[in-house]
Amino acid sequence: MAIAETTRAQMREVLDRYPRKRSALMPLLHLVQADEGFITPEGVTLVAELVELTEAEVTAVSSFYTMYLKRQSGRVRVGVCINSLCAVLGGDEIWDALVDHCGTGNNQTTDDGAVTLERIECQAACTHAPVMTANWEFLDDMTVEKAKQVVDDARAGRPIQSTRGPAVRSFADAERTIVGVDDGLVADGDHRDDRILAGLRLAQQNGDAERSAEAERRGAQTVKGN
Amino acid sequence: MPLTPVLSAHWDEADSYTLDGYRRHGGYDALALAFAKQPDDVIQLVKDSGLRGRGGAGFPTGMKWGFVPQGDGKPHYLVVNADESEPGACKDVPLMLANPHSLVEGVVIASYAIRANHAFIYIRGEVPHAIRRVASAVREAYAAGLLGQNILGSGFDLEVTVHAGAGAYICGEETALLDSLEGFRGQPRLKPPFPAVAGLYASPTVVNNVETIASVPSIVTNGADWYTSYGSEKSPGVKLFAVSGHVERPGIFEAPMGTTMRELLEWAGGMRKGHRLKFWVPGGSSVPLLTEEHLDVPYTYEDIAAAGSMLGTGTPMVFDETTSVTRAVTRWLEFYKHESCGKCTPCREGTYWLVDLLRRLESGVGSDDDITRINEVSAQIAGRSFCALGDAAATPFPGAMKYFADEIALGTHTAASDLYDPVAATVLAGVNA
Ligand SMILES: Cc1cc2nc3c(=O)[nH]c(=O)nc-3n(C[C@H](O)[C@H](O)[C@H](O)COP(=O)(O)O)c2cc1C
Ligand code: SF4
Ligand code: FES
């Protein structure tokens, strides 16, 4: 498969962001995956040309990072956080259930090509444990039932709504978002849930929020008056 | 202790992540105040505030900025560490989702202070929604003349590049991050030279955590005295605490330094019903665990250290009596083994051996010799590794041994899953416990 002209244009735009070409290597590899699904020899050749390295040098870098894949994934990469906190709170049970449900193991794809299961590490979302991801969008507060539903929806081609994020998109689209391409979805998915607002809500109830705002304003006036 | 929402004060507004939402509450006012000062005076202000790095090590921020040589003719860089991958840490990603402009404003002020004209925000690759929100904030800031050439007529120019990682915990280590940003494998560099002298492209570079940089605008607006009115002399200010685990209401609580775990636990609704605290980890898996007897230790760098642990990221993970400490520690070691960059032998080989030995204990086929060997291997990694990941890997087991030696010894004959029913530890609805 050839790398599309639109992707090549995005690659040139990415190169412009850095004082030195080689710094663009990581986003360029993400863009290779957006087009090809994984790090293909053709992608390596193109990136090597763009950043003026040898193919071996590019491969040495890509092989270091777990997000750069060695083979094609299913349409939805479904991750289950199995780091200690999530594992203990239910991630291990969810993982076992999904392995059963899908008949696949880690980094393997269901027969219909729909889902690749992946054991993932802490996603900076422990307050929402057990945590999963679908093409890297958050699936918070998961249960075995919800996890199976995600997989069933993915296999049936039904939409999957992330928590704190937009509806789950293709792996290719996710890779473009990761390199900063504007996908128009910044407003999708509310960051405001009971975990994120726990402290603020409590402070508002206690009157702490007003007190600290008041203190801030007084401080501000002193500084501005200087 | 009261709660003190500063960074999180407006997270309950739907558009808190937009430029309009940020400006509604005085956003970017600090920038004009900073531009009215000399860069060195901004550094002095941050020194006076006593702000310490929120990425884990707690290094004084103003001092770090002051290490950047000035008038050296080289370009300077600011690099924001938004790699948040430490197990248990979950504060920077929510901040970037809810309030990315506080980060962008902090980036401009910090860059002005250290005289950098190009800043990078290195975000872990696995959080597209955070990348979306930060990238959008940066675009909005460019469009409003808050980034780019001659910002607000100050004569100061700044380019900001949002850069995504690709799934390597070690890239949170600041020198590995710089290698990664230069397009290499993310492996740590020898220190010294420190990044402030020879960092990105061998030029003076400040690397700071997201929360550190996002705290700067409020300090500029409200003054160093306001900041030091919170917390202790050595650990001033307020911070985002994120409480996770077996509590009734996990979540984010912004409060003064010096808040205790007992207070955080109370805000989080206490332990889940019918259960009691077994252990808690104050700041990511890389710091030693603590127990009930430490609930009244103030959350300051010095007090948590005196209690035998570290403040780290200030994001406590809380576990109740249903949890097997052997299982939790083994899983953390599996993480360190997976994330070891392989550059130095003690860490690469040591984590391999630790996982092997710990798995034996977890499955109940360990021996007393194994426990001795784990302690020995941990001691060989600690202080002998090239970077702090090695030290981190050598931390959980000795930490757990200090309080749970008897339980760990049961792994010589009984599997952890027989001692502690894993289902009872879950919070899953519909799984019968
Ligand atoms: C293995 C390892 C991972 C780290 N991960 C992070 C991280 O994700 N975010 C962060 O800010 N600091 C992380 N650090 C600490 C950084 O090396 C550095 O101290 C910090 O970014 C400095 O910023 P601060 O002074 O504002 O805290 C990590 C350190 C190590 C050894
Ligand atoms: S301690 Fe571990 S992570 Fe750090 S340089 Fe050595 S092998 Fe790499
Ligand atoms: S341990 Fe799963 S998100 Fe942190």
Side-chain angles (χ1 to χ4, degrees):
Chain A
M1 203 165 67
I3 291 180
E5 185 44 43
T6 47
T7 305
R8 289 171 192 260
Q10 282 165 350
M11 287 179 164
R12 286 190 291 274
E13 189 268 328
V14 159
L15 274 164
D16 282 344
R17 299 176 190 169
Y18 297 91
R20 297 195 187 175
K21 284 190 175 143
R22 183 165 183 154
S23 283
L25 187 49
M26 290 180 68
L28 292 179
L29 288 168
H30 279 300
L31 283 174
V32 167
Q33 298 207 127
D35 241 43
E36 307 259 90
F38 65 111
I39 302 297
T40 55
E42 194 204 353
V44 169
T45 305
L46 176 62
V47 169
E49 259 168 50
L50 288 170
V51 299
E52 294 167 15
L53 292 176
T54 65
E55 291 163 3
E57 284 168 315
V58 171
T59 306
V61 174
S62 72
S63 63
F64 183 82
Y65 298 94
T66 48
M67 281 181 86
Y68 299 132
L69 305 174
K70 294 184 179 64
R71 68 185 86 89
Q72 201 63 250
S73 308
R75 285 193 302 278
V76 184
R77 287 186 74 86
V78 173
V80 180
C81 176
I82 47 70
N83 207 296
S84 303
L85 193 282
C86 278
V88 167
L89 267 63
D92 278 355
E93 281 69 18
I94 291 173
W95 174 258
D96 290 345
L98 287 189
V99 165
D100 247 25
H101 195 63
C102 297
T104 57
N106 190 21
N107 263 313
Q108 291 174 4
T109 302
T110 50
D111 295 338
D112 56 2
V115 170
T116 302
L117 286 185
E118 186 177 12
R119 288 167 75 81
I120 56 175
E121 296 296 352
C122 178
Q123 293 296 299
C126 323
T127 40
H128 297 68
V131 172
M132 287 175 52
T133 57
N135 287 340
W136 297 120
E137 300 291 355
F138 283 122
L139 302 170
D140 298 322
D141 293 311
M142 292 305 287
T143 62
V144 169
E145 290 317 311
K146 286 199 263 182
K148 286 185 188 164
Q149 189 65 49
V150 165
V151 163
D152 292 345
D153 288 344
R155 298 184 82 163
R158 287 188 292 263
I160 302 167
Q161 181 57 49
S162 78
T163 46
R164 295 187 291 159
V168 172
R169 295 153 326 126
S170 68
F171 178 73
D173 288 342
E175 284 287 21
R176 288 186 214 280
T177 300
I178 285 169
V179 301
V181 174
D182 186 3
D183 57 16
L185 297 174
V186 68
D188 282 29
D190 208 328
H191 60 267
R192 299 174 301 167
D193 64 21
D194 59 347
R195 310 292 160 87
I196 297 301
L197 298 183
L200 179 58
R201 291 257 160 86
L202 206 56
Q204 286 165 342
Q205 276 166 29
N206 301 344
D208 287 348
E210 283 87 80
R211 275 196 294 278
S212 84
E214 179 61 23
E216 222 181 305
R217 268 194 301 278
R218 262 184 281 119
Q221 275 152 16
T222 344
V223 174
K224 280 175 185 156
N226 275 345
Chain B
M1 204 67 84
L3 283 138
T4 48
V6 175
L7 285 168
S8 61
H10 307 293
W11 289 8
D12 57 342
E13 295 175 17
D15 64 348
S16 65
Y17 65 91
T18 65
L19 182 56
D20 284 348
Y22 187 57
R23 278 200 149 141
R24 190 176 310 132
H25 302 285
Y28 289 99
D29 286 357
L31 187 54
L33 291 172
F35 283 153
K37 297 177 195 288
Q38 292 303 313
D40 282 340
D41 294 336
V42 177
I43 296 180
Q44 189 59 46
L45 171 68
V46 173
K47 279 185 185 165
D48 292 343
S49 78
L51 174 65
R52 294 175 64 169
R54 302 292 192 230
F59 194 83
T61 306
M63 196 188 287
K64 187 185 276 187
W65 295 6
F67 288 154
V68 173
Q70 296 300 338
D72 55 345
K74 287 189 187 168
H76 299 172
Y77 298 102
L78 174 73
V79 178
V80 175
N81 190 341
D83 195 53
E84 190 163 63
S85 308
E86 168 83 7
C90 47
K91 61 183 183 73
D92 298 336
V93 166
L95 191 160
M96 290 188 283
L97 290 178
N99 194 7
H101 277 286
S102 64
L103 175 62
V104 175
E105 186 178 16
V107 163
V108 186
I109 297 171
S111 300
Y112 171 73
I114 64 165
R115 281 142 277 195
N117 298 112
H118 200 150
F120 297 83
I121 305 176
Y122 186 116
I123 311 183
R124 65 181 296 186
E126 304 98 320
V127 287
H129 203 43
I131 295 171
R132 212 177 256 126
R133 290 230 161 143
V134 173
S136 164
V138 167
R139 276 193 296 270
E140 283 185 299
Y142 268 110
L146 298 161
L147 290 176
Q149 303 286 307
N150 190 21
I151 300 170
L152 301 179
S154 62
F156 178 66
D157 305 335
L158 181 67
E159 298 299 324
V160 171
T161 301
V162 178
H163 179 96
Y169 166 62
I170 187 59
C171 291
E173 196 282 333
E174 57 184 12
T175 62
L177 185 151
L178 294 173
D179 260 35
S180 178
L181 190 49
E182 290 185 7
F184 293 88
R185 298 162 73 94
Q187 291 184 314
R189 301 175 178 175
L190 198 63
K191 292 193 269 193
F194 289 92
V197 176
L200 190 65
Y201 314 128
S203 282
T205 302
V206 164
V207 183
N208 271 136
N209 171 259
V210 169
E211 188 188 356
T212 313
I213 291 295
S215 299
V216 169
S218 66
I219 292 171
V220 170
T221 305
N222 301 302
D225 289 348
W226 164 78
Y227 205 67
T228 55
S229 74
Y230 296 108
S232 72
E233 194 188 333
K234 288 187 184 137
S235 307
V238 298
K239 129 157 251 335
L240 294 168
F241 295 96
V243 184
S244 63
H246 287 132
V247 297
E248 276 293 317
R249 292 190 299 275
I252 298 191
F253 303 90
E254 191 172 8
M257 301 290 283
T259 298
T260 63
M261 188 65 222
R262 191 180 299 283
E263 289 167 305
L264 289 172
L265 204 50
E266 199 175 297
W267 292 334
M271 298 302 294
R272 60 177 178 154
K273 267 185 199 62
H275 294 277
R276 51 178 205 286
L277 176 66
K278 180 169 178 177
F279 62 93
W280 58 288
V281 191
S285 60
S286 302
V287 312
L289 60 81
L290 295 174
T291 63
E292 180 136 34
E293 66 185 90
H294 307 104
L295 282 180
D296 293 312
V297 175
Y299 242 108
T300 63
Y301 296 98
E302 61 276 17
D303 289 300
I304 302 246
S309 185
M310 283 179 282
L311 187 136
T313 51
T315 52
M317 291 183 277
V318 179
F319 295 90
D320 70 21
E321 84 291 348
T322 61
T323 313
S324 157
V325 77
T326 310
R327 176 183 174 206
V329 168
T330 304
R331 196 61 62 88
W332 282 318
L333 259 301
E334 286 172 358
F335 167 78
Y336 291 112
K337 175 189 166 192
H338 182 247
E339 300 299 332
S340 167
C341 82
K343 182 170 178 143
C344 68
T345 316
C347 169
R348 186 185 59 238
E349 302 294 318
T351 51
Y352 176 89
W353 282 112
L354 286 178
V355 166
D356 212 49
L357 294 162
L358 280 164
R359 279 187 184 155
R360 288 167 50 81
L361 283 174
E362 188 185 353
S363 48
V365 298
S367 65
D368 291 335
D369 272 1
D370 290 342
I371 298 178
T372 314
R373 290 249 297 290
I374 299 173
N375 276 320
E376 283 169 7
V377 175
S378 296
Q380 277 161 19
I381 300 177
R384 287 196 178 78
S385 299
F386 193 82
C387 86
L389 188 147
D391 298 327
T395 296
F397 186 80
M401 273 299 277
K402 198 163 158 189
Y403 301 103
F404 299 103
D406 292 347
E407 177 186 332
I408 289 165
L410 298 177
T412 56
H413 51 74
T414 311
S417 57
D418 291 335
L419 294 165
Y420 297 91
D421 175 8
V423 174
T426 71
V427 293
L428 300 175
V431 174
N432 51 343

